[in-house]
Amino acid sequence: MFNLIIFLSLLILGYVFGRMAESRHFKSILNREEQLRDILTFNERTLPPGYEQASGELVGGNVVISIDYFKQISAGLRNLFGGRVSAYETLIERARREAILRMKQEARLKGASKIINVRLETASISKGGQDQIGSVEVYAYGTALIPTP
Amino acid sequence: MEYQNPKIPEGINVSQEHPLKDFFIMLLGAGLIIAGLIFTLTLLAGSLVRYVPFELEQQLAASLEQELVETETVKPGRHQQYLQNLADRLVIAQQLPEAMKITVHYMDGDEVNAFATLGGHIFVYRGLLEKMPNENALAMVLAHEIAHIKHRDPLVATGRGLTVGLALMSLAGIADSALAQQVISQVSLLTTLGFSREMERAADNEALLTLKQHYGHTLAADTVFQIFNDLEDGQGLPAFLSTHPQSTDRIEVIDHFQHRHGSHQGTLTPLPSWFNEP
């Protein structure tokens, strides 16, 4: 009975704080995406026309986001039935967009307006280990093109 | 070439469904599957257990017995002799199969308790004996425990615990998550208990028939439940959480039995005079 109470409180705690953090993060992502809209990102390796003289520099953004207890239980149940793991979808989405935003932020500081050859790397911190906090790392990197004066 | 950064609509990569809805549907599904699984296993355990020979059960119990004798204070002596003697008489009244051998152990402990376990062993605590006003009340306790052994309840309970545990572990193995397992273990806690309550009722009934056969009446059969009832006061667990049916319910059942069988007249057999001496 005692275990059940602990379990339920963790679940509720995870749900409330997880939801709060998530909605706040999404708001902030939308806000900053609007501010950095003018920095264009490309996955091509070739230079866009007009940038032959620009200097290239590596920019990157790295983020680690952890799941909450509720998401963990929810995804565990999803493991039994199969289907879209919606609990993790938001997590990965947040991590990817945040990583790109941090990369763009770095490019902005360097005075660049375009980033080419953008790549995303995803890594799971816990590597599926039991009894570990599941968290995901996303690293976004690319070549910022800084126009030469 | 002209480049643009169009605004991509939200909600492509993320499902818009409320996370709680998804969660509760899955929880309900898992709960139903597990309940069904446990139900099937219990039905199977109850019917298959009859085919396990009692000798095998005794072999299984051999190590368990050793362990209990070592850890608990089992005291051979005249109490033990007396209890064994009474049990032997009740065994005849209850018409146990020849192969089933009942061994009673007297335990020097304050707990108000008695229980039957694998291999025909019955353990009775001093705490319970001290509260017994006459032999009939004690016979009810022993007859109840003997009935458990006759019905093979200890084996069913052990087997069920094992099978259910194993089934859940493999289920959780597929899930590959310690946390899913945690959810499952919480669900199974409430569902397995109901069946042992059925066993308790059956054992009560069998014990009443035994008392009627042996003494010709069932007076004082409810004494032990009155005692439990007094103990339960103040720390009452809700009925669905406790393994045993509520004492008040059991007293009612005994009343019904006495009226149906007209077994409420007779004389009580006293306990030997030395019984409550140390």
Side-chain angles (χ1 to χ4, degrees):
Chain A
M1 201 63 204
F2 190 61
N3 278 345
L4 192 68
I5 291 168
I6 292 181
F7 171 74
L8 282 178
S9 2
L10 279 176
L11 202 67
I12 292 167
L13 222 68
Y15 178 73
V16 170
F17 285 99
R19 283 286 275 188
M20 260 163 59
E22 189 168 285
S23 65
R24 206 183 305 137
H25 191 199
F26 265 124
K27 241 177 242 162
S28 142
I29 285 174
L30 286 174
N31 194 12
R32 282 179 296 148
E33 270 178 354
E34 202 50 50
Q35 286 168 16
L36 295 164
R37 274 184 78 77
D38 55 304
I39 297 182
L40 303 180
T41 51
F42 305 83
N43 64 353
E44 294 154 11
R45 295 168 61 198
T46 49
L47 294 169
Y51 277 82
E52 288 79 4
Q53 299 303 314
S55 72
E57 240 183 89
L58 176 72
V59 284
N62 188 30
V63 66
V64 178
I65 295 186
S66 168
I67 57 171
D68 54 63
Y69 196 73
F70 176 80
K71 278 194 196 309
Q72 204 168 352
I73 297 290
S74 187
L77 278 173
R78 186 45 87 194
N79 259 330
L80 295 173
F81 299 105
R84 278 180 80 166
V85 191
S86 52
Y88 282 175
E89 282 177 350
T90 49
L91 189 82
I92 303 289
E93 169 92 345
R94 277 159 67 195
R96 259 189 274 117
R97 288 166 79 166
E98 179 69 34
I100 291 173
L101 278 173
R102 290 184 184 181
M103 177 187 71
K104 280 185 169 185
Q105 187 63 41
E106 197 187 334
R108 160 75 38 93
L109 290 176
K110 289 186 185 323
S113 61
K114 285 189 173 58
I115 309 169
I116 60 163
N117 202 12
V118 171
R119 297 289 179 265
L120 290 171
E121 302 281 348
T122 311
S124 151
I125 301 280
S126 58
K127 300 277 179 222
Q130 294 268 329
D131 298 323
Q132 282 202 44
I133 309 156
S135 41
V136 67
E137 184 211 17
V138 173
Y139 180 50
Y141 60 97
T143 309
L145 300 179
I146 303 157
T148 37
Chain B
M1 208 195 292
E2 201 49 45
Y3 293 104
Q4 279 179 341
N5 186 9
K7 222 175 159 154
I8 300 160
E10 291 294 317
I12 291 173
N13 297 326
V14 174
S15 133
Q16 292 301 303
E17 203 173 52
H18 199 276
L20 278 182
K21 187 186 160 201
D22 200 35
F23 181 74
F24 281 118
I25 288 172
M26 286 192 294
L27 203 63
L28 195 73
L32 285 176
I33 289 170
I34 289 156
L37 203 71
I38 290 168
F39 188 67
T40 328
L41 283 174
T42 330
L43 286 183
L44 283 178
S47 54
L48 286 178
V49 85
R50 275 181 267 273
Y51 301 103
V52 179
F54 192 72
E55 289 78 29
L56 191 70
E57 190 183 320
Q58 278 178 317
Q59 281 173 26
L60 274 173
S63 59
L64 188 101
E65 182 191 349
Q66 190 61 34
E67 195 182 319
L68 268 166
V69 169
E70 271 169 17
T71 50
E72 305 276 354
T73 42
V74 175
K75 246 173 61 178
R78 53 184 177 174
H79 286 91
Q80 161 106 37
Q81 279 292 320
Y82 172 78
L83 287 170
Q84 185 66 51
N85 205 328
L86 180 58
D88 288 344
R89 280 184 280 143
L90 292 171
V91 162
I92 295 164
Q94 207 171 100
Q95 294 167 341
L96 249 70
E98 198 104 327
M100 284 195 188
K101 208 177 140 291
I102 301 290
T103 322
V104 188
H105 303 272
Y106 171 67
M107 313 271 279
D108 190 19
D110 287 332
E111 284 124 286
V112 184
N113 198 8
F115 61 94
T117 181
L118 286 174
H121 294 281
I122 295 173
F123 294 84
V124 186
Y125 281 91
R126 178 170 46 77
L128 183 74
L129 292 184
E130 276 170 359
K131 289 198 186 293
M132 291 286 123
N134 48 50
E135 189 187 279
N136 302 65
L138 179 58
M140 179 64 188
V141 177
L142 284 177
H144 175 92
E145 302 306 336
I146 294 169
H148 272 314
I149 290 165
K150 185 184 181 185
H151 298 159
R152 315 298 300 272
D153 290 346
L155 192 61
V156 178
T158 320
R160 183 190 301 143
L162 269 174
T163 25
V164 170
L166 282 175
L168 292 183
M169 254 187 270
S170 53
L171 232 173
I174 298 162
D176 194 28
S177 147
L179 291 145
Q181 202 176 340
Q182 207 170 326
V183 174
I184 287 162
S185 68
Q186 305 296 353
V187 173
S188 62
L189 182 79
L190 296 180
T191 44
T192 41
L193 298 180
F195 295 101
S196 20
R197 283 163 70 189
E198 300 298 314
M199 291 176 183
E200 294 297 339
R201 287 203 191 93
D204 277 355
N205 206 36
E206 181 92 46
L208 285 170
L209 289 170
T210 312
L211 286 196
K212 189 168 181 299
Q213 171 76 24
H214 186 61
Y215 294 105
H217 62 84
T218 56
L219 285 178
D222 56 351
T223 309
V224 65
F225 301 120
Q226 303 281 13
I227 292 168
F228 281 141
N229 206 15
D230 292 344
L231 287 175
E232 276 166 20
D233 277 347
Q235 48 156 347
L237 274 169
F240 80 100
L241 271 178
S242 102
T243 338
H244 288 50
Q246 297 269 55
S247 295
T248 44
D249 298 348
R250 296 169 86 170
I251 292 167
E252 249 173 62
V253 170
I254 292 171
D255 276 352
H256 273 294
F257 183 93
Q258 286 180 342
H259 283 292
R260 223 175 33 239
H261 292 80
S263 60
H264 45 79
Q265 270 176 16
T267 42
L268 294 169
T269 315
L271 289 165
S273 55
W274 49 264
F275 199 75
N276 278 335
E277 295 162 16

